[in-house]
Amino acid sequence: MRNLDEMTITQAVLAKNSGIGDARLCEIMTSLVQNLHAFAREIKLTETEWQRGIDFLAQAGAANTADRQQFALISHVLGLSTLVLAQNDRKPVGCTETAAFHVTPEQAPVLLDAGADFGADSNTAKGYLQGAVLDVQGHAIPHAVLEVHRACPHDNGAIDRALLPVDEGGRYHLCTALPDNQHIPHDGPAGQLLAALNRPHWRPAHFKFTVGATGYQRLTTHVFRAGDPYLDADPLFGVRSSLITEWQWHSGGMTPAGTVSNDPFYTLAFDFVLAKE
Amino acid sequence: MRNLDEMTITQAVLAKNSGIGDARLCEIMTSLVQNLHAFAREIKLTETEWQRGIDFLAQAGAANTADRQQFALISHVLGLSTLVLAQNDRKPVGCTETAAFHVTPEQAPVLLDAGADFGADSNTAKGYLQGAVLDVQGHAIPHAVLEVHRACPHDNGAIDRALLPVDEGGRYHLCTALPDNQHIPHDGPAGQLLAALNRPHWRPAHFKFTVGATGYQRLTTHVFRAGDPYLDADPLFGVRSSLITEWQWHSGGMTPAGTVSNDPFYTLAFDFVLAKE
């Protein structure tokens, strides 16, 4: 195993890796080495470019935080995330589609009181979202765990999360600020990559939800808004037609929360349909 | 650009990237996306495995330091480094082969006095290395910049560097501790990867040199020692036959530095042959 060149190195690495005990890890590493080497050979990667790549990864590592997960963002930007989500989203027809990865929060989100305003600190119009958590036959899933995320209006890139009460009939209500377009955090290497690729940073406005219930596959998805100018230009490739919704505009009056509003507001009905485990 | 799946995502990303201004960057990103996607499809990467990979990169980023460059080490372990070095090392026959990447030090190394002992703090036997920096016709390259690296005996993973004087005849002398086997730093994710791959951590003993001179390609290489038990098991795939040298053992007596030694010592003659730029 001496004098390895760009053609013989691949087989040498695979031979070295043949002692891996875990069959799945061996399969993953074999494919990783083959494809990584194919990439470097195909474009005849130079030493300078290799160093640039290593530096980029180090910079991404240094900038990585819970709110700005650089490696996850890079995966989204390169379309890897959409690929992985799509090839693992094999649910019966009628179930709500997956649109994002679940990210375990560092701190457990707070449970909102029924009717509480999740977004009272925002200037956007109010939106009232209601619906149910259902199985594919249309039966209510009582007391599911429903988590809503929104982009924090005070810190671009940060995410606020809250748990919503789901009643015994599977029903939930959310009063919040209507989501706005938001851009991918561009204060780190992932944003710099997007800029180097000459691609826009703006995402279509959306809510992100994670819904879990015993005996059902956990669902993490987005709810988009019809008419959004970025629906066909999502830099993270996440838009699915079944998740685009039509919010109803109201000039004011009685809200779904039973209050009276002098300002215009929006309403939307949206059900989450979970697949059995 | 909605409802992308694991088959349509690749073309969608390439279409998005088609606005890249720099033709070489476009070429690199196209190949990167295609091979990254091929990898994820080939092994049907799951969400859990994706998350494990993202976490691994984040851990490598957090552990990355100047002395423990995790991403460079991971590249070495996966054979990518040897591939890149080999496919770019196109020098005339007779030139010294490349065996490593040049790493720009954070601080400029100190210039050793002629005859100084680089390794006085080590318990290993003394080694006296001498030779010349030459062009491929055998002519001396006067006053070349010759940098020697050794593994720091007090901090596994750290590297001591020094500049050696090269005289007008291209000649250099190095008095140092004979290099020992050293293992790849295994206190970080790169070492954990090597352990997960069930591969040994030990490298064959070597010196690392970087040699530069105006008008010549900079050379970064290793000088290995014949008989080393790890020559055929280098976990970083770096051994080249032309760089394996036979040190001469002496029971004691007059050293090449003109001193008298009561202890055994070793000598070696090694010339560095540089290619024109």
Side-chain angles (χ1 to χ4, degrees):
Chain A
M1 215 200 56
R2 302 177 188 179
N3 308 316
L4 295 167
D5 65 23
E6 65 271 33
M7 301 314 293
T8 55
I9 180 67
T10 307
Q11 201 45 51
V13 179
L14 298 185
K16 276 271 188 207
N17 284 355
S18 61
I20 301 175
D22 179 323
R24 177 62 177 164
L25 179 62
C26 189
E27 192 177 19
I28 291 174
M29 294 309 299
T30 298
S31 177
L32 178 66
V33 166
Q34 285 171 330
N35 284 288
L36 183 66
H37 288 197
F39 156 68
R41 268 194 296 263
E42 209 167 278
I43 55 158
K44 202 167 186 296
L45 192 71
T46 68
E47 290 188 39
T48 308
E49 289 162 350
W50 175 88
Q51 187 63 57
R52 183 71 194 84
I54 295 294
D55 291 346
F56 176 77
L57 291 171
Q59 287 154 9
N64 196 59
T65 64
D67 276 344
R68 287 167 172 74
Q69 298 205 16
Q70 295 295 316
F71 296 106
L73 273 171
I74 293 166
S75 164
H76 302 344
V77 166
L78 297 180
L80 177 65
S81 304
T82 294
L83 192 165
V84 171
L85 288 169
Q87 75 181 357
N88 290 290
D89 194 22
R90 294 281 177 265
K91 290 185 298 222
V93 173
C95 291
T96 305
E97 287 188 277
T98 298
F101 285 104
H102 176 67
V103 178
T104 306
E106 292 201 317
Q107 296 177 328
V110 292
L111 179 66
L112 286 187
D113 293 332
D117 185 352
F118 183 55
D121 53 355
S122 173
N123 298 323
T124 329
K126 286 276 165 268
Y128 295 88
L129 186 63
Q130 55 184 307
V133 182
L134 304 172
D135 69 15
V136 76
Q137 282 83 32
H139 302 128
I141 301 176
H143 306 301
V145 176
L146 176 56
E147 190 181 316
V148 58
H149 309 206
R150 58 157 200 165
C152 173
H154 308 302
D155 178 12
N156 174 52
I159 299 294
D160 284 340
R161 297 153 173 266
L163 290 173
L164 293 177
V166 177
D167 68 20
E168 65 284 353
R171 300 203 60 80
Y172 75 92
H173 300 263
L174 172 63
C175 167
T176 184
L178 211 60
D180 231 346
N181 296 122
Q182 57 194 89
H183 58 73
I184 302 169
H186 50 224
D187 50 1
Q192 289 157 14
L193 173 64
L194 208 53
L197 299 179
N198 204 15
R199 282 167 42 183
H201 287 73
W202 290 95
R203 296 208 69 192
H206 62 274
F207 287 115
K208 181 178 176 182
F209 290 96
T210 296
V211 198
T214 308
Y216 294 88
Q217 294 179 33
R218 183 175 58 199
L219 168 70
T220 301
T221 197
H222 287 168
V223 177
F224 297 99
R225 187 176 165 195
D228 189 292
Y230 296 101
L231 283 174
D232 282 306
D234 180 14
L236 304 192
F237 310 101
V239 177
R240 312 202 81 76
S241 303
S242 69
L243 303 174
I244 300 173
T245 58
E246 195 84 53
W247 288 78
Q248 297 299 317
W249 182 81
H250 305 267
S251 60
M254 182 73 83
T255 73
T259 56
V260 175
S261 173
N262 293 323
D263 295 319
F265 61 90
Y266 291 81
T267 57
L268 176 68
F270 191 85
D271 294 338
F272 298 98
V273 182
L274 303 191
K276 283 251 164 63
E277 260 181 353
Chain B
M1 215 200 57
R2 302 177 187 179
N3 308 315
L4 295 167
D5 65 23
E6 65 271 34
M7 301 314 292
T8 55
I9 180 67
T10 307
Q11 201 46 51
V13 179
L14 297 185
K16 276 270 188 208
N17 284 355
S18 61
I20 302 175
D22 179 323
R24 176 61 178 164
L25 180 62
C26 190
E27 193 178 17
I28 291 174
M29 294 309 299
T30 298
S31 177
L32 179 66
V33 166
Q34 286 171 330
N35 284 288
L36 183 66
H37 288 198
F39 156 69
R41 270 194 295 263
E42 208 167 278
I43 55 159
K44 202 167 186 297
L45 192 71
T46 68
E47 290 188 39
T48 309
E49 289 162 350
W50 176 88
Q51 188 64 58
R52 183 72 194 82
I54 295 294
D55 291 346
F56 176 77
L57 291 171
Q59 287 154 8
N64 196 59
T65 64
D67 276 344
R68 288 166 172 75
Q69 299 205 17
Q70 295 295 316
F71 296 107
L73 273 171
I74 292 165
S75 163
H76 302 343
V77 166
L78 297 180
L80 177 64
S81 305
T82 294
L83 192 165
V84 171
L85 288 169
Q87 75 182 357
N88 290 289
D89 193 22
R90 294 281 177 264
K91 290 185 298 221
V93 173
C95 291
T96 305
E97 287 187 277
T98 298
F101 285 105
H102 176 68
V103 179
T104 306
E106 291 201 316
Q107 296 177 328
V110 293
L111 179 66
L112 285 187
D113 292 332
D117 185 352
F118 183 54
D121 53 355
S122 172
N123 298 323
T124 329
K126 286 275 165 270
Y128 295 87
L129 186 64
Q130 55 184 306
V133 181
L134 304 172
D135 69 14
V136 76
Q137 282 82 32
H139 302 128
I141 301 176
H143 306 300
V145 176
L146 176 56
E147 190 182 315
V148 59
H149 309 207
R150 57 158 200 165
C152 173
H154 308 302
D155 178 12
N156 174 52
I159 299 294
D160 284 339
R161 296 154 174 265
L163 291 173
L164 293 177
V166 177
D167 68 20
E168 65 284 353
R171 301 203 60 80
Y172 75 92
H173 300 264
L174 172 63
C175 168
T176 184
L178 211 60
D180 231 346
N181 296 122
Q182 57 194 89
H183 58 74
I184 302 169
H186 51 223
D187 51 2
Q192 289 158 14
L193 172 64
L194 208 52
L197 299 179
N198 204 17
R199 282 166 42 182
H201 287 73
W202 290 95
R203 296 208 69 192
H206 62 275
F207 287 115
K208 181 177 176 182
F209 290 96
T210 296
V211 198
T214 308
Y216 294 88
Q217 294 178 32
R218 182 175 59 198
L219 168 70
T220 301
T221 197
H222 287 168
V223 177
F224 298 99
R225 187 176 165 193
D228 188 293
Y230 297 101
L231 283 174
D232 282 305
D234 180 14
L236 304 192
F237 309 102
V239 177
R240 312 201 80 76
S241 303
S242 69
L243 303 174
I244 300 173
T245 58
E246 194 83 54
W247 289 78
Q248 297 299 317
W249 182 81
H250 305 266
S251 59
M254 183 73 83
T255 73
T259 56
V260 174
S261 173
N262 293 322
D263 296 319
F265 61 90
Y266 291 82
T267 57
L268 176 68
F270 191 85
D271 294 338
F272 299 98
V273 182
L274 304 191
K276 283 251 165 62
E277 260 180 352

